[in-house]
Amino acid sequence: MASFSISLSQSSHISLKPKTSPPKSHFVKSHFVQIKASAHSTPSPSTPPKPVVSKPRRPADENIRDEARRNNPTHSHRFSAKYVPFNADSSSSHSTESYSLDEIVYRSQSGGLLDVQHDMDALKNYDGKYWRDLFDSRVGKTTWPYGSGVWSKKEWVLPEIDSDDIISAFEGNSNLFWAERFGKQFLGMSDLWVKHCGISHTGSFKDLGMTVLVSQVNRLRKMKRPVVGVGCASTGDTSAALSAYCAAAGIPSIVFLPANRISIAQLVQPIANGAFVLSLDTDFDGCMQLIREVTAELPIYLANSLNSLRLEGQKTAAIEILQQFDWNVPDWVIVPGGNLGNIYAFYKGFHMCKELGLVDRIPRLVCAQAANANPLYLHYQSGWKDFKPIKANSTFASAIQIGDPVSIDRAVYALRNSNGIVEEATEEELMDAMAQADSTGMFICPHTGVALTALIKLRKSGAIGPTDRTVVVSTAHGLKFTQSKIDYHSMNIKDMACRLANPPVQVKADFGSVMDVLKKTLLSKAPKH
């Protein structure tokens, strides 16, 4: 059998007029939508955010930032947010500790995690229909900054930031792919979807959080706060997103990477974007410890998911899923988990929509881990008894090769409050699932293979039914992990059968040889009646 290889070196009140046109497709809205008052909204003393409506083309000498300054010179609402200590048992928390988002703080006084808390009373001055219509009116526009899937929900993300301080690549608005063939052929499912968050600026969902964090750093620097740069520890995608957004803002970025543990495609991104890259002889957990120590001593802003600002951007992917289903709630959402900020971000996005009346329930969440890096899975299997970090072993799902996740408490809270489940995938299971998905027209990353493995297991156990609307979150683009796909299809992975390998066939360059091979192949695949 022929093999092949490649050698490489080191996210006033309003209502819409009734529509008489056919049902709209996802993310497609009628042009020139008009907005008017909703009889069910509670009056507010402040002027609400203006929906995006049709307008004449801006002057030729004016860019979209200039246009935003002209149309929105001052804040016209009273929405706000602050840092508060994250407490999984909020009913017993009476802490008055809080911080402005303009403060540089990552931990509470007790050393615990922080959370971004929005002024829900102010947001509740507007009903669910108001928010649905406002968010829908912004989709697909180039109006700054609302063309972004993240900043189209600006009032729920960083309500007090000036639009001129935002650093955005119009991230988000990612494809919700109907996995028709995969669902039908392999799982007997008719309503399976894959949220391709990797179809984003740098090829991963990390863009959704990084646009928020870097925008806030941009604001802090304009306020003359002592921030000389932004730093992160990374298994690949965080460094790519950080370096890209910092480059767009003209802010120095510093990246700590575990040597020889990320793909070449992931390594080259921060290098190309001009980051100062340190390759360290340790794993991600070691890099994380070092970056925390460094940012405690130097005026470098910490960009890892320990920083709760990033979760504000990542939660918009959950809101976006609801938008794409015309505000109908799916039954299940399956998310790969490593440092575990993402599973909480999805919970937070869904829960916020329920609390503000956009939907009446939230989906059940599943967190999927690689068996070689499965501390949350072990914790779940123990009945949520005392959590124990582990030493993560090597996995093809390298971005989730984390044994001591920062957001463990956040993840447990999200799963317990969504009647959630944790599943795991062995290396062979995740690689087979990736190959299986690719064979139906997708081109996914190994981490999505982990999530699909969880789905396969939950379908076999009967936990997920054949008609359950299920969304699998794909966190990165498959092009970042081509070497793992090459190794699989070359059958060049030790102790792995690679049962779905599809290597190229070497054939002599003459008509007869080509015809012989084609006839043999086509006859073997011909339908049998």
Side-chain angles (χ1 to χ4, degrees):
M1 180 175 290
S3 64
F4 64 109
S5 63
I6 292 178
S7 177
L8 294 170
S9 59
Q10 285 300 108
S11 221
S12 68
H13 318 292
I14 65 174
S15 64
L16 291 180
K17 282 186 176 180
K19 299 179 69 174
T20 57
S21 56
K24 58 188 178 295
S25 61
H26 296 144
F27 272 113
V28 178
K29 304 292 175 186
S30 297
H31 293 299
F32 311 124
V33 171
Q34 300 298 317
I35 311 298
K36 60 182 182 180
S38 166
H40 303 292
S41 299
T42 304
S44 167
S46 61
T47 305
K50 291 187 293 186
V52 176
V53 295
S54 59
K55 58 184 183 300
R57 183 170 174 173
R58 65 180 180 273
D61 61 348
E62 182 180 66
N63 63 42
I64 58 175
R65 281 191 186 271
D66 296 331
E67 184 181 42
R69 293 186 196 105
R70 174 166 55 82
N71 291 332
N72 300 287
T74 58
H75 292 293
S76 58
H77 59 75
R78 298 181 183 179
F79 305 132
S80 63
K82 60 186 177 182
Y83 293 122
V84 297
F86 175 81
N87 192 323
D89 185 13
S90 57
S91 62
S92 65
S93 175
H94 300 287
S95 173
T96 57
E97 181 185 354
S98 67
Y99 306 91
S100 164
L101 297 188
D102 294 332
E103 293 187 60
I104 300 173
V105 56
Y106 313 115
R107 291 278 194 180
S108 68
Q109 292 173 0
S110 66
L113 298 170
L114 293 173
D115 198 19
V116 175
Q117 183 184 86
H118 290 262
D119 183 349
M120 298 301 288
D121 289 337
L123 294 172
K124 286 178 181 178
N125 281 322
Y126 306 94
D127 64 8
K129 185 180 187 329
Y130 169 86
W131 291 115
R132 290 194 302 267
D133 292 347
L134 179 68
F135 295 161
D136 286 349
S137 76
R138 292 169 171 172
V139 171
K141 304 295 192 297
T142 57
T143 303
W144 184 264
Y146 304 127
S148 159
V150 173
W151 296 108
S152 63
K153 288 86 177 169
K154 179 176 181 288
E155 295 80 13
W156 292 21
V157 177
L158 285 187
E160 296 173 273
I161 194 170
D162 191 290
S163 292
D164 199 43
D165 293 338
I166 290 173
I167 307 299
S168 172
F170 279 13
E171 51 289 308
N173 295 328
S174 57
N175 181 29
L176 186 60
F177 174 84
W178 181 31
E180 180 182 15
R181 185 178 161 213
F182 185 89
K184 180 179 179 180
Q185 182 172 334
F186 299 115
L187 296 168
M189 298 181 71
S190 58
D191 212 358
L192 174 62
W193 302 79
V194 178
K195 178 65 170 168
H196 280 298
C197 292
I199 303 176
S200 191
H201 179 58
T202 71
S204 89
F205 79 94
K206 298 293 178 73
D207 294 347
L208 304 180
M210 210 56 76
T211 180
V212 177
L213 184 140
V214 174
S215 295
Q216 179 64 12
V217 171
N218 193 43
R219 171 181 165 93
L220 294 174
R221 283 164 63 93
K222 287 184 177 182
M223 296 169 69
K224 308 299 182 185
R225 297 297 171 88
V227 179
V228 297
V230 190
C232 75
S234 179
T235 48
D237 289 332
T238 300
S239 66
L242 174 65
S243 59
Y245 283 87
C246 280
I251 299 172
S253 58
I254 302 96
V255 172
F256 288 15
L257 296 175
N260 304 316
R261 299 189 189 212
I262 69 170
S263 75
I264 296 296
Q266 290 173 301
L267 175 61
V268 77
Q269 287 182 284
I271 291 172
N273 285 136
F276 183 61
V277 179
L278 284 74
S279 180
L280 303 172
D281 185 21
T282 183
D283 58 10
F284 171 80
D285 295 315
C287 289
M288 187 68 222
Q289 180 61 36
L290 283 167
I291 194 69
R292 287 172 64 177
E293 292 172 1
V294 167
T295 53
E297 296 295 326
L298 296 175
I300 298 171
Y301 196 82
L302 180 64
N304 284 97
S305 57
L306 174 66
N307 189 320
S308 53
L309 278 179
R310 278 184 42 201
L311 306 185
E312 294 306 291
Q314 289 165 209
K315 78 182 182 191
T316 63
I319 306 168
E320 200 170 280
I321 288 171
L322 297 175
Q323 240 182 324
Q324 288 171 303
F325 284 132
D326 293 325
W327 303 102
N328 291 301
V329 182
D331 299 300
W332 298 86
V333 174
I334 304 175
V335 185
N339 220 14
L340 302 180
N342 216 18
I343 191 72
Y344 176 68
F346 271 83
Y347 170 79
K348 191 172 185 181
F350 287 128
H351 183 264
M352 204 165 174
C353 286
K354 180 177 181 290
E355 189 174 0
L356 290 169
L358 285 75
V359 295
D360 60 1
R361 63 184 181 90
I362 67 171
R364 292 186 68 180
L365 298 179
V366 177
C367 190
Q369 291 210 293
N372 282 0
N374 63 350
L376 180 67
Y377 175 77
L378 297 175
H379 190 34
Y380 172 76
Q381 290 293 313
S382 74
W384 303 123
K385 294 177 183 175
D386 292 340
F387 172 75
K388 295 179 181 177
I390 65 169
K391 176 70 174 177
N393 294 314
S394 179
T395 172
F396 282 103
S398 56
I400 56 176
Q401 185 181 323
I402 297 169
D404 189 10
V406 166
S407 292
I408 179 64
D409 293 338
R410 292 170 173 153
V412 172
Y413 179 83
L415 290 160
R416 297 187 77 160
N417 283 277
S418 64
N419 192 21
I421 296 174
V422 187
E423 257 298 351
E424 67 172 355
T426 66
E427 294 302 287
E428 188 151 14
E429 287 172 336
L430 73 89
M431 292 298 286
D432 283 348
M434 180 172 70
Q436 202 171 52
D438 288 352
S439 75
T440 66
M442 289 184 263
F443 195 72
I444 62 169
C445 64
H447 317 86
T448 311
V450 174
L452 287 172
T453 299
L455 170 62
I456 292 165
K457 290 182 175 182
L458 292 172
R459 271 293 292 126
K460 286 181 178 178
S461 72
I464 294 180
T467 60
D468 288 357
R469 175 171 284 179
T470 303
V471 179
V472 171
V473 176
S474 179
T475 55
H477 201 294
L479 284 172
K480 289 191 171 192
F481 301 91
T482 51
Q483 190 62 52
S484 66
K485 293 176 183 286
I486 290 167
D487 291 343
Y488 182 91
H489 289 288
S490 299
M491 303 184 73
N492 194 30
I493 301 175
K494 186 179 179 182
D495 299 326
M496 189 177 292
C498 303
R499 63 185 180 86
L500 298 174
N502 182 35
V505 178
Q506 292 183 347
V507 187
K508 289 183 180 179
D510 65 74
F511 179 77
S513 298
V514 170
M515 286 296 291
D516 288 343
V517 169
L518 289 176
K519 285 178 180 178
K520 182 179 179 181
T521 301
L522 293 174
L523 284 172
S524 70
K525 294 184 178 181
K528 296 176 176 61
H529 299 289

